[in-house]
Amino acid sequence: MDYKDYIAHIREADGEIQTAEEHLREVRRLCEEYGGKIGLRHLAGLSGWLHDMGKLTQSFKSYIEEAVANPDTPPRRGSVDHSTAGGKLLYERFHREAKTPGDKLTAEWAANCIISHHQGLRDFYGPESDSPFLDRVANKKLEDYEQAKEHFFQLADRAEFERYFAEARKELEEIIGRIQKNSHSSINVSLVIKYVFSCLIDADRTNTRQFEEKEAAEEPFDREAFFNRCYDALMRKIKEFDNDPDAGHPINRLRREMSDQCEAFAWQRPSGIYTLSIPTGGGKTLASLRYAIKHAMATGKERIIYVVPYTTIIEQNAAEIRDILQEHDLILEHHSNVVDEMDEETEDYDVRKKKIRLARDNWDRPIIFTTMVQFLNTLYAKGTRNIRRMHRLANSVLIFDEVQSVPLKCISLFNEALNFLHFFGNSSIVLCTATQPALDYVKHQLRLSEWPEMIGSLDDVADRFKRVEVEDRTEPEGWGAERLADFVGERLEEVRSVLVILNTKTAVRKLFARLVQDLRIGESGVKLFHLSTNMCAAHRKKALGQVIEALTGEERVVCVSTQLIEAGVNISFDCVIRSLAGLDSIAQAAGRCNRHGKDPMRTVYIIKSADESLTQLPEIKIGAQMTERLLYEYRQSPERFGRYLLSAAAMKSYFHYYFHHMKERMDYPIPKLDNKMFELLSTNKTYYESFKNTRRRVPEILSRPSFATAEQYFEVIDNAAASVLVPYNEDARTLIADLNGELDSRKLGDLLRKAQQYVVNLYDQEKRKLVQNEALYPLLNGHVLALREFAYSDEFGVETGGEGEWEVALI
């Protein structure tokens, strides 16, 4: 047979064939485009050129024809391995015959990407004194390997292939030289390999989707024109603010000054890692957008990515920016994966799974809003679905809103990811928060640029922005719901609106139930609201809108919420009561009080809730303990902190105490392995030495990361369960019905993006209760979980007790 007869894909709609030659050539081209952004054009291209070499065989041709002809009774699972051949070729030709370490490393890095493109990167050295990588490329027997190799060299000239590999090796040697010169961390090797893998996964999925859906290759996007339009629209909005009757208010004048400083910084300073420490309520969303657009115009960046701690902030900020820029289709919100990573993705040709794989969620828009969870998943989570997006982070402007929300165990991984994206990915990074968390203070520190702060005279700015006093009302025994409800009632005798923020959903529910029964609330026309993460994004958005409407109308309002409201939500209460937590959280909560400075001064009260169990929330628990230490020191010597509990001096002391106390937890410890994820992705000394000692010789492979083992244990939020799609409204119910039907990958991608606003992320124990109550059912052949209507409440969202609205009636 001619090599051109071999098949990569058969289109389901019309039986049209994409040849293996076409697919390999087109995926290589896309890989070159993506990899070229960080100087790895040929290394990424090499992985694309060889990734499906195993399809150049008669056995795969027969397999795919049978799989398409008999979708209900496909060939035996795993009967054809098409991803190992390309990696085996690199190992055989350039590793066993290596003349330099560069030859070996080039073969190792590209080969691991190739053999892993259906299941996620393999361990070079594993926990069983083994090498899953070597097992595939050196030891696995492939019956049709020689045939695949012969056919590959019919479509690829051997001399050209050798030259191409030499270019890839040169790129690798250059980037290793840069790592040795600019970095103190060997984790950068892992991040480079992950970047190449990202290029391959996205190129493979994109080309396959374009063939399946008969899409033309995308035209180059005119980013310069886009960012110019955005800048003009933003400046029109800013001029509108200047004409507002309140434009002369001191707070608004200060906001404009800081916004102007951000624009000047954008074109005066090169790409770097910077801080934007605008006080809470200082307009940092628009100021950071102004910086990002102007900097993208000045430096040729491809996209702007906002990374925020909570989906609540995505909803508000994305809506605000869409309204200003009027570029609705080019602004993407990525809240969470509606479809979780498939546990056992295989090489089998399964039409249903293939559609889910190809669904477009690769961050291909010029402005992205996503969460800290999704950002970290993109770099460190298992499988292929998340890593696909990593290459989009290069040559971008990354705005980290409320950066203090980085989970403690992820701090080292986060810092090194940002260092990599700047030094090797040519991205500019802005840490945007009123409570900068001293990430340059820790062991694996963030390498801030010289003179990193965008705003001048921060102490003066903080003084001019001061709008609240903080009053310590903590007591050792804590306040129960009844006493706290009484305190809320007392405050309502002085003010019109009160916000109470507690650390757990249970405590919030308990206080809300007590307030419902309080005659001072029920008989005085006070509007009572509840907010928690058991409500989907669309539900929270509606509830927040109702709260804001009531506050704007100067109605009497009480809102009881978890911490989701304390960062990035543009809302202002007369009084805030915050349960003891980290000082940064208390400062964020204070930003919801007298936000616009319309009153001379308001009060934020710190209390200690007796209804919270923080056993499963160790970071909040330790943060609260460090704040207690600071409160004690403040009582002894308030002048040390400028007589203000939220001063820069107080915040600096808090983070130093907190990071020192938690220093052993920052490298992502994995107790089950008695190891750390940071170590597994860097020197990986334990597994390397074990492999060497078992074989009593120096191992032949030079690369060390244990990717699969590290990723197996990675989760940003401990004990997080699968996302659940909820029937919040008619639109959500229609989406759920549509996801039960037959869909092409393009339509599926659109539905999954739309479905994000109707997703609730639940812990394992919450999910188990719902399963016991038969409140969950599967969609998309089990890849999406949906909630039954009786288990969703208009008041509280997901009812894990399974009693829905009825439970509310019992309060």
Side-chain angles (χ1 to χ4, degrees):
M1 287 181 61
D2 191 283
Y3 67 89
K4 293 185 179 181
D5 294 327
Y6 292 110
I7 300 170
H9 303 105
I10 300 175
R11 188 154 53 220
E12 183 184 9
D14 57 12
E16 184 72 20
I17 287 173
Q18 181 188 41
T19 66
E21 178 195 22
E22 291 168 338
H23 182 58
L24 292 176
R25 183 181 67 248
E26 290 164 12
V27 171
R28 168 183 148 179
R29 178 186 60 78
L30 285 173
C31 281
E32 290 173 343
E33 177 187 332
Y34 302 155
K37 291 192 293 183
I38 70 166
L40 296 176
R41 181 175 182 269
H42 294 87
L43 187 62
L46 191 65
S47 68
W49 200 2
L50 288 167
H51 80 287
D52 274 355
M53 177 182 135
K55 292 184 176 180
L56 294 166
T57 64
Q58 180 59 48
S59 58
F60 184 82
K61 183 174 188 294
S62 300
Y63 166 80
I64 193 172
E65 288 172 338
E66 184 182 348
V68 171
N70 304 290
D72 296 325
T73 56
R76 180 176 59 82
R77 183 176 181 179
S79 57
V80 176
D81 172 354
H82 70 264
S83 66
T84 299
K88 199 173 186 69
L89 173 61
L90 286 176
Y91 183 80
E92 177 188 79
R93 169 63 189 88
F94 297 106
H95 201 279
R96 284 183 172 150
E97 301 176 20
K99 297 177 182 176
T100 67
D103 286 336
K104 284 193 170 188
L105 288 171
T106 305
E108 288 169 11
W109 294 9
N112 200 342
C113 294
I114 291 165
I115 66 173
S116 305
H117 75 272
H118 281 284
Q119 292 173 299
L121 288 165
R122 299 299 200 278
D123 290 346
F124 283 109
Y125 294 101
E128 305 298 327
S129 303
D130 60 346
S131 172
F133 169 77
L134 271 181
D135 289 343
R136 280 290 290 273
V137 298
N139 303 328
K140 186 172 184 179
K141 303 298 182 184
L142 294 179
E143 291 182 9
D144 299 314
Y145 171 65
E146 292 300 328
Q147 185 184 67
K149 184 166 69 170
E150 177 187 348
H151 292 151
F152 177 76
F153 283 117
Q154 288 176 1
L155 65 90
D157 178 77
R158 283 182 181 268
E160 179 196 359
F161 182 67
E162 296 278 337
R163 287 194 297 271
Y164 199 91
F165 182 89
E167 290 297 323
R169 182 187 63 230
K170 185 188 301 183
E171 292 169 351
L172 176 139
E173 290 169 345
E174 287 175 357
I175 205 162
I176 286 179
R178 291 172 61 198
I179 289 172
Q180 292 171 339
K181 180 179 179 181
N182 296 307
S183 171
H184 303 293
S185 173
S186 56
I187 198 173
N188 280 293
V189 166
S190 285
L191 292 170
V192 170
I193 297 171
K194 281 174 171 283
Y195 186 93
V196 173
F197 191 51
S198 172
C199 297
L200 172 58
I201 297 301
D202 195 26
D204 182 28
R205 305 292 196 263
T206 296
N207 177 252
T208 304
R209 189 198 70 246
Q210 288 172 344
F211 169 72
E212 290 286 349
E213 307 301 341
K214 302 182 184 179
E215 291 181 17
E218 296 177 357
E219 294 293 323
F221 180 70
D222 190 344
R223 290 182 174 81
E224 183 178 357
F226 171 77
F227 287 125
N228 275 310
R229 292 198 308 270
C230 290
Y231 180 77
D232 291 342
L234 177 60
M235 294 312 295
R236 284 194 298 272
K237 185 66 175 180
I238 289 173
K239 286 178 181 176
E240 285 180 25
F241 291 146
D242 291 343
N243 297 325
D244 190 274
D246 290 332
H249 189 284
I251 291 290
N252 289 329
R253 288 204 308 270
L254 185 53
R255 285 171 177 160
R256 179 58 191 261
E257 288 173 21
M258 291 187 292
S259 175
D260 291 344
Q261 288 182 57
C262 286
E263 172 159 340
F265 201 95
W267 58 267
Q268 290 173 352
R269 299 291 297 274
S271 296
I273 304 178
Y274 301 115
T275 58
L276 177 56
S277 304
I278 289 180
T280 304
K284 64 178 177 292
T285 299
L286 293 190
S288 62
L289 178 66
R290 189 173 174 186
Y291 164 84
I293 293 173
K294 194 69 175 179
H295 191 67
M297 294 165 64
T299 60
K301 297 290 187 282
E302 293 180 14
R303 62 183 42 80
I304 297 167
I305 301 175
Y306 273 87
V307 183
V308 302
Y310 308 121
T311 55
T312 320
I313 306 175
I314 289 182
E315 297 139 26
Q316 176 176 288
N317 290 4
E320 182 180 5
I321 288 174
R322 276 200 180 97
D323 184 58
I324 293 170
L325 302 184
Q326 292 296 306
E327 297 280 356
H328 297 274
D329 292 339
L330 296 175
I331 300 173
L332 174 69
E333 296 174 53
H334 187 227
H335 300 249
S336 58
N337 289 341
V338 179
V339 180
D340 287 334
E341 181 68 46
M342 290 180 240
D343 287 336
E344 293 187 4
E345 185 181 337
T346 67
E347 302 188 27
D348 300 301
Y349 199 89
D350 185 315
V351 172
R352 298 178 186 88
K353 287 185 179 180
K354 183 178 180 181
K355 288 178 183 176
I356 296 172
R357 259 201 322 269
L358 300 184
R360 190 175 190 153
D361 62 353
N362 59 342
W363 290 0
D364 57 351
R365 309 294 172 86
I367 297 180
I368 308 290
F369 283 87
T370 192
T371 63
M372 181 64 74
V373 169
Q374 293 306 320
F375 172 77
L376 290 167
N377 279 347
T378 294
L379 292 146
Y380 297 114
K382 67 180 179 180
T384 61
R385 189 171 187 81
N386 293 290
I387 192 68
R388 176 180 182 180
R389 300 185 286 263
M390 180 182 174
H391 74 91
R392 303 287 183 182
L393 297 170
N395 196 33
S396 296
V397 183
L398 305 176
I399 308 291
F400 288 88
D401 197 4
E402 312 300 356
V403 72
Q404 74 282 353
S405 67
V406 181
L408 186 83
K409 64 184 179 181
C410 298
I411 282 179
S412 294
L413 296 172
F414 175 80
N415 284 352
E416 293 299 350
L418 267 55
N419 292 337
F420 171 82
L421 289 170
H422 168 53
F423 286 106
F424 303 100
N426 191 39
S427 288
S428 285
I429 293 155
V430 180
L431 309 182
C432 190
T433 179
T435 53
Q436 292 290 347
L439 295 176
D440 56 340
Y441 175 80
V442 300
K443 179 182 176 183
H444 297 288
Q445 62 185 225
L446 186 64
R447 298 172 65 195
L448 295 171
S449 299
E450 189 176 10
W451 304 107
E453 178 54 48
M454 292 188 187
I455 304 301
S457 305
L458 275 180
D459 288 341
D460 178 57
V461 169
D463 287 341
R464 292 165 66 189
F465 241 92
K466 187 176 178 183
R467 309 179 304 281
V468 300
E469 294 289 355
V470 181
E471 190 170 317
D472 176 14
R473 291 288 191 98
T474 58
E475 297 173 3
E477 65 274 13
W479 293 26
E482 186 168 350
R483 183 175 177 194
L484 186 49
D486 287 341
F487 188 65
V488 170
E490 292 168 11
R491 301 283 67 76
L492 285 172
E493 295 173 5
E494 305 168 357
V495 299
R496 300 189 67 84
S497 60
V498 178
L499 170 64
V500 185
I501 304 176
L502 304 176
N503 291 314
T504 68
K505 289 182 281 189
T506 300
V508 166
R509 288 283 293 263
K510 194 168 182 178
L511 176 60
F512 186 87
R514 181 66 188 82
L515 288 169
V516 167
Q517 297 170 0
D518 193 316
L519 295 178
R520 286 172 299 183
I521 303 293
E523 296 183 358
S524 60
V526 175
K527 288 194 171 181
L528 180 61
F529 295 93
H530 164 277
L531 290 168
S532 88
T533 52
N534 269 14
M535 303 157 76
C536 69
H539 193 172
R540 290 197 304 271
K541 182 179 179 181
K542 181 181 178 181
L544 276 168
Q546 292 171 336
V547 175
I548 292 169
E549 182 181 0
L551 291 168
T552 304
E554 296 189 351
E555 298 184 67
R556 291 163 63 77
V557 176
V558 173
C559 180
V560 186
S561 177
T562 57
Q563 60 264 41
L564 68 87
I565 199 174
E566 72 185 14
V569 180
N570 188 8
I571 199 166
S572 182
F573 289 81
D574 294 340
C575 170
V576 169
I577 302 166
R578 182 56 166 99
S579 181
L580 188 67
L583 192 65
D584 55 328
S585 292
I586 293 168
Q588 293 297 328
R592 307 318 119 192
C593 186
N594 195 20
R595 186 172 178 84
H596 306 296
K598 292 188 176 181
D599 299 301
M601 200 63 64
R602 290 292 189 183
T603 305
V604 173
Y605 298 94
I606 306 173
I607 60 100
K608 189 173 184 179
S609 171
D611 297 323
E612 296 175 348
S613 172
L614 302 181
T615 306
Q616 301 301 317
L617 300 168
E619 292 183 30
I620 294 178
K621 184 177 181 179
I622 299 299
Q625 291 171 355
M626 297 302 104
T627 300
E628 280 189 297
R629 173 179 175 179
L630 200 74
L631 291 175
Y632 173 79
E633 292 178 358
Y634 184 86
R635 288 191 291 270
Q636 304 305 307
S637 180
E639 65 279 358
R640 176 182 162 195
F641 304 103
R643 297 188 177 277
Y644 185 45
L645 266 170
L646 301 183
S647 67
M651 200 61 62
K652 183 176 181 180
S653 292
Y654 165 76
F655 276 117
H656 282 199
Y657 295 156
Y658 182 69
F659 285 159
H660 179 75
H661 187 88
M662 304 287 269
K663 61 185 177 182
E664 296 303 320
R665 305 188 194 184
M666 294 185 192
D667 292 352
Y668 204 108
I670 305 173
K672 287 184 179 179
L673 300 179
D674 191 25
N675 211 327
K676 297 179 178 179
M677 185 169 173
F678 193 92
E679 169 65 16
L680 293 174
L681 294 177
S682 52
T683 60
N684 202 15
K685 184 176 180 180
T686 301
Y687 293 172
Y688 172 81
E689 293 294 338
S690 176
F691 184 92
K692 183 173 73 171
N693 293 337
T694 300
R695 286 157 179 76
R696 298 185 179 181
R697 57 181 172 80
V698 175
E700 62 264 44
I701 53 174
L702 305 180
S703 305
R704 293 194 182 186
S706 184
F707 291 111
T709 300
E711 292 168 3
Q712 178 186 348
Y713 291 93
F714 182 75
E715 51 184 10
V716 181
I717 301 171
D718 289 336
N719 303 315
S723 304
V724 175
L725 190 56
V726 301
Y728 164 60
N729 57 18
E730 191 57 40
D731 185 47
R733 289 187 283 272
T734 300
L735 268 170
I736 289 171
D738 288 345
L739 286 169
N740 250 345
E742 285 297 319
L743 302 162
D744 62 37
S745 62
R746 182 193 307 162
K747 178 68 172 174
L748 178 58
D750 291 341
L751 287 178
L752 292 177
R753 274 197 298 274
K754 192 175 180 183
Q756 289 180 98
Q757 62 186 313
Y758 303 119
V759 164
V760 173
N761 295 308
L762 298 175
Y763 290 106
D764 286 336
Q765 62 269 26
E766 296 171 312
K767 180 183 170 186
R768 283 195 295 271
K769 288 181 182 178
L770 291 169
V771 170
Q772 290 167 5
N773 286 295
E774 299 182 346
L776 294 176
Y777 63 99
L779 303 174
L780 284 180
N781 300 289
H783 294 295
V784 174
L785 286 174
L787 187 74
R788 299 195 185 278
E789 289 192 44
F790 70 80
Y792 198 83
S793 154
D794 280 343
E795 193 86 63
F796 298 112
V798 175
E799 296 279 8
T800 54
E803 296 171 299
E805 293 287 345
W806 186 58
E807 184 178 347
V808 179
L810 293 177
I811 292 176

